[in-house]
Amino acid sequence: MDKFRMIFQFLQSNQESFMNGVCGIMALASAQMYSAFDFNCPCLPHYNLAYGLGILLVPPFILFLLGFVLNNNISMLAEEWRRPRGRRGKDPAVLRYMFCSMAQRAMIAPVVWVSVTLLDGKCITCAFCTSVPVNTLGNASHPGLSQREMKRVLARIPCKEIYDGQELIANEVAIRYLRCISQALGWCFVLLMTTLAFLVRSLRPCFTQAAFLKSRYWSHYIDIERKLFDETCAEHARSFAKVCIQQFFEGMSTDLAASRCHPPRKAPADEGEAAEKLLGITDRGTMNTALKSWHRCKPPLHLHPPACPSGNSWAGEGHPPKHLPAHPNTQPPAQPPARREVAAYYSRV
């Protein structure tokens, strides 16, 4: 159990690396799924297009949604988007940054599926076999075939065992033509996605560096604040349960002592410490009110820091100092803002 707890704590502390690994595994799984998939074209004029495009587009959409489901931050994003404003406003730029970060990871597996499907060429061959230019590649002067019968014959091109139109157009010629188009589309798609990823990852921070840093900082803050709130709630619940159990056994001990004329046992010394961790919240109604208040009206992000000396007025002007010498009596850094916010909230409740 301790090993699993250590692994879980490691994954929590390295959540970004863990999600990148999950996205890589999903990408490999999508390629393996396609290679193991038994593609069977219906070879019917009215079903080839729907079947081919369905295999090309539906699984990537499922993988895209699955990428969001496996991301732990999706619930945090939904909670931040739907919560009331209260005393803390919501920055749309932070929400967009969080959504774009999750969407980038979720798109890896769908991109791999579409790329592999286009490079293989079976879906395009099945979907567009009825659109083969017979005038260019075949015998357009073949007598006795109406337009409907010609489409019925062309729809059987992917099925070599039932194709009976060799005199109209050679089966190998049509398949090579469609596969060539499919592979060209596949490589263009790979080039487009690679270029787009390069632009997003490399050039976007260069144009909006300040906004990018701000959005990234507050997205990290929301994540850390939620984790600290969960840890504080877990610690409070543990202390609450400990005090309730101790009071129950103390009552049982008192009743037994009264019936048997034995002095009751002395309460454990750590009961006071557990009671102090409750921060005054000692009943179910108050705890429910505190949780509702945290959701509806989170405390403002203003911790009232001490005033800076006049020589460090760069904070309000946007010009940082060139050098800040370390004082030998400098105090250690205080708690992170998220932890102070949670602790201050519980102390007020």
Side-chain angles (χ1 to χ4, degrees), residues 57-318:
L57 300 178
V58 173
F61 182 71
I62 297 175
L63 292 173
F64 182 72
L65 295 180
L66 188 61
F68 278 100
V69 171
L70 295 178
N71 197 318
N72 295 329
N73 294 330
I74 186 64
S75 58
M76 180 180 63
L77 175 63
E79 178 184 348
E80 183 66 17
W81 178 52
R82 292 294 300 170
R83 72 170 177 84
R85 294 183 63 88
R87 291 185 294 171
R88 180 189 300 183
K90 294 185 287 187
D91 191 353
V94 178
L95 299 179
R96 286 195 300 268
Y97 173 84
M98 296 169 62
F99 177 80
C100 291
S101 299
M102 289 185 288
Q104 290 175 14
R105 292 188 175 95
M107 285 181 62
I108 296 178
V111 167
V112 172
W113 178 277
V114 174
S115 302
V116 173
T117 304
L118 290 176
L119 293 176
D120 184 63
K122 292 180 181 178
C123 289
I124 298 298
T125 302
C126 179
F128 298 101
C129 59
T130 57
S131 303
V132 173
V134 181
N135 297 332
T136 305
L137 303 177
N139 183 12
S141 61
H142 184 74
L145 285 180
S146 63
Q147 190 69 20
R148 182 176 181 180
E149 292 176 347
M150 185 177 294
K151 286 188 176 295
R152 180 181 59 82
V153 173
L154 293 178
R156 297 177 179 178
I157 289 177
C159 308
K160 297 180 180 181
E161 63 277 3
I162 63 174
Y163 181 66
D164 53 0
Q166 293 289 346
E167 66 279 2
L168 178 64
I169 182 173
N171 179 275
E172 188 64 23
V173 172
I175 290 180
R176 287 194 178 192
Y177 171 77
L178 294 172
R179 185 170 294 175
C180 177
I181 295 178
S182 179
Q183 290 179 352
L185 292 175
W187 284 116
C188 290
F189 180 77
V190 172
L191 177 62
L192 177 63
M193 291 295 102
T194 305
T195 305
L196 183 62
F198 170 76
L199 294 177
V200 171
R201 300 289 293 178
S202 301
L203 300 183
R204 185 184 66 175
C206 298
F207 292 102
T208 58
Q209 184 66 18
F212 176 75
L213 292 176
K214 182 188 71 172
S215 301
R216 185 170 62 179
Y217 173 85
W218 288 113
S219 65
H220 291 336
Y221 173 85
I222 293 173
D223 186 22
I224 294 173
E225 184 186 56
R226 184 188 182 189
K227 292 179 180 178
L228 292 178
F229 183 77
D230 292 341
E231 293 175 3
T232 305
C233 287
E235 184 178 358
H236 186 277
R238 180 180 179 85
S239 301
F240 202 163
K242 189 173 183 178
V243 172
C244 287
I245 293 173
Q246 288 176 348
Q247 290 180 355
F248 170 77
F249 279 102
E250 287 175 7
M252 292 290 295
S253 177
T254 303
D255 294 340
L256 292 175
S259 60
R260 299 180 182 179
C261 298
H262 293 298
R265 297 183 60 184
K266 187 178 180 181
D270 57 346
E271 181 181 358
E273 298 179 1
E276 290 179 359
K277 293 181 180 180
L278 296 180
L279 300 176
I281 304 177
T282 57
D283 60 273
R284 182 174 182 177
T286 307
M287 190 67 220
N288 292 337
T289 303
L291 295 176
K292 291 180 181 178
S293 178
W294 175 262
H295 173 69
R296 295 176 180 176
C297 189
K298 289 186 178 181
L301 297 174
H302 186 64
L303 304 180
H304 303 287
C308 297
S310 59
N312 293 338
S313 59
W314 57 271
E317 300 177 1

